[in-house]
Amino acid sequence: MLLEVRELQVEFHTRDGVAKAVNGVSYSVDAGETLAVLGESGSGKSVTAQAIMGILDVPPGRIAGGEVVFKGRDLLKTKEDERRKIRGADMAMIFQDALSSLNPVLTVGAQLGEMFIVHRGMSRKDARARAVELMERVRIPAAKERVNDYPHQFSGGMRQRIMIAMAMALEPSLIIADEPTTALDVTVQAQVMELLADLQRELNMGLILITHDLGVVADVADKIAVMYAGRIVETAPVHDIYKAPAHPYTRGLLDSIPRLDQKGRDLYAIKGLPPNLTRIPPGCAFNPRCPRAQDICRTDVPPLFEVDENRRSACFFWRETLDDV
Ligand SMILES: Nc1ncnc2c1ncn2[C@@H]1O[C@H](COP(=O)(O)OP(=O)(O)O)[C@@H](O)[C@H]1O
Ligand code: SF4
Ligand SMILES: [Mg+2]
């Protein structure tokens, strides 16, 4: 396995108390595989990614437990200078907002070239040539002419391609893309997602694709981990999830996707809001919003039940949920 996150716990110490942003999360991704991590805003998706990358804000954040095993080695026990070498070179991240992630006063060619100068000791001239190659690889038209442009001279979609180029410059084994298309309009979203999926296949990378939108991952993900209030509530191969969710929260997310065949119908929305993480409700954290909740849900925390070999659900009533298509 390329990356295995085991029982990860991350807390934030706030004025309101301790927020358990990541509360025992385990997931894994292999070379050539795409894991989509799904969940509403505030469920702990980005904090998990920051802990994996080693870019968590400490303080206020604190890793309270768990392991992040990358190529057989626990990164949480690895020294910072070692981690810095891994970051960028063997494990890279793509963020939602390219404009604030790229340096506004450097041309994109200089920024892409920098990767090769710093990590590969290339000359400025060779690095520039590699930058153009990279821009072509992410299908930026007229790359040779545009290599001297600044980030703000590109459209949102093209900027996101440049971020992808930066991330894959050194051909990492793992890329974490955190809401990479959320800021883009729908047609551009699909193109950028397709590009990412193509490159991932070509380079046989592991890809963790973080999103709040189940609609964008259907075609690209192999498996899905659904997060709610800092925990995984369901993991399954992507097709199984679309066929029949085994958790009421996943069901809710699925029913909230706009569908072409249901135009004009009111879009379903899960009622209520995710909990304040300093005051997670007792029992199943989803119980105040769950249409299926029973007494046991308000007292006992559901473990991750084994639905089948490849599938887990943290719901006492996963059987009933599966049957309810
Ligand atoms: N810098 C921070 N300071 C305090 N709390 C934070 C910070 N970053 C994240 N959190 C807490 O962690 C929770 C999960 O955040 P995040 O992982 O960013 O959610 P998302 O699933 O939307 O990516 C937030 O709701 C918040 O309570
Ligand atoms: S355990 Fe209970 S509250 Fe939680 S998702 Fe299942 S039915 Fe709903
Ligand atoms: Mg996030």
Side-chain angles (χ1 to χ4, degrees):
M1 197 56 69
L2 178 64
L3 174 80
E4 248 188 291
V5 177
R6 296 187 193 134
E7 292 297 320
L8 183 69
Q9 295 183 39
V10 183
E11 312 173 332
F12 287 95
H13 291 256
T14 71
R15 271 182 308 165
D16 285 353
V18 177
K20 293 192 167 170
V22 180
N23 200 353
V25 162
S26 303
Y27 61 54
S28 66
V29 63
D30 218 340
E33 194 177 45
T34 298
L35 165 73
V37 180
L38 197 79
E40 285 164 296
S41 176
S43 51
K45 308 182 297 297
S46 297
V47 170
T48 306
Q50 288 158 10
I52 296 170
M53 285 293 292
I55 56 170
L56 188 73
D57 279 332
V58 181
R62 185 178 88 87
I63 294 182
E67 290 169 67
V68 174
V69 182
F70 180 62
K71 296 187 169 175
R73 162 182 196 196
D74 185 359
L75 295 182
L76 301 183
K77 296 199 180 85
T78 302
K79 287 203 179 75
E80 179 50 31
D81 57 339
E82 271 297 305
R83 293 201 78 177
R84 204 176 305 125
K85 276 186 218 149
I86 297 172
R87 209 158 41 232
D90 209 15
M91 181 189 265
M93 196 150 169
I94 298 167
F95 299 93
Q96 174 178 334
D97 183 7
L99 204 50
S100 64
S101 309
L102 294 168
N103 188 333
V105 301
L106 288 178
T107 65
V108 301
Q111 291 180 67
L112 289 169
E114 188 74 7
M115 304 287 292
F116 297 107
I117 294 170
V118 170
H119 288 271
R120 296 283 187 264
M122 279 189 191
S123 70
R124 203 153 286 280
K125 184 160 163 279
D126 290 349
R128 179 57 57 109
R130 292 299 293 273
V132 174
E133 268 175 44
L134 267 179
M135 287 171 73
E136 282 165 351
R137 195 145 189 206
V138 296
R139 304 174 204 151
I140 292 178
K144 258 202 193 86
E145 287 84 71
R146 302 221 61 188
V147 68
N148 294 319
D149 285 352
Y150 292 88
H152 71 89
Q153 293 173 286
F154 291 85
S155 67
M158 288 297 151
R159 264 198 304 269
Q160 210 58 9
R161 286 167 192 265
I162 292 163
M163 279 256 283
I164 293 172
M166 292 274 277
M168 51 163 281
L170 305 172
E171 309 204 344
S173 314
L174 176 72
I175 285 195
I176 304 180
D178 193 352
E179 311 259 3
T181 63
T182 300
L184 308 174
D185 70 48
V186 178
T187 40
V188 181
Q189 264 186 14
Q191 292 160 1
V192 171
M193 200 55 84
E194 198 184 300
L195 170 72
L196 197 55
D198 285 352
L199 293 170
Q200 183 254 349
R201 238 171 285 131
E202 263 171 61
L203 297 173
N204 199 36
M205 294 182 296
L207 174 64
I208 298 177
L209 188 57
I210 298 174
T211 177
H212 64 275
D213 183 355
L214 191 45
V216 306
V217 300
D219 300 329
V220 295
D222 298 300
K223 55 186 190 182
I224 293 190
V226 182
M227 285 187 72
Y228 187 78
R231 287 178 192 265
I232 303 271
V233 295
E234 179 167 7
T235 55
V238 67
H239 300 295
D240 291 359
I241 292 236
Y242 280 90
K243 229 183 285 162
H247 194 284
Y249 180 61
T250 316
R251 164 102 269 164
L253 292 176
L254 204 62
D255 289 345
S256 333
I257 306 175
R259 285 173 42 175
L260 290 171
D261 56 338
Q262 296 184 350
K263 246 189 192 149
R265 270 180 52 176
D266 281 346
L267 207 55
Y268 172 85
I270 304 168
K271 68 173 178 158
L273 291 170
N276 176 331
L277 296 178
T278 60
R279 282 182 287 278
I280 296 174
C284 173
F286 188 55
N287 85 71
R289 305 173 72 190
C290 182
R292 214 178 257 290
Q294 309 288 318
D295 287 344
I296 187 177
C297 306
R298 289 178 268 274
T299 51
D300 295 19
V301 176
L304 269 175
F305 295 99
E306 187 173 320
V307 174
D308 63 38
E309 201 189 333
N310 299 314
R311 190 162 196 190
R312 305 280 181 279
S313 165
C315 176
F316 295 116
F317 302 100
W318 62 265
R319 279 173 213 281
E320 290 79 354
T321 308
L322 263 183
D323 288 340
D324 174 30
V325 185

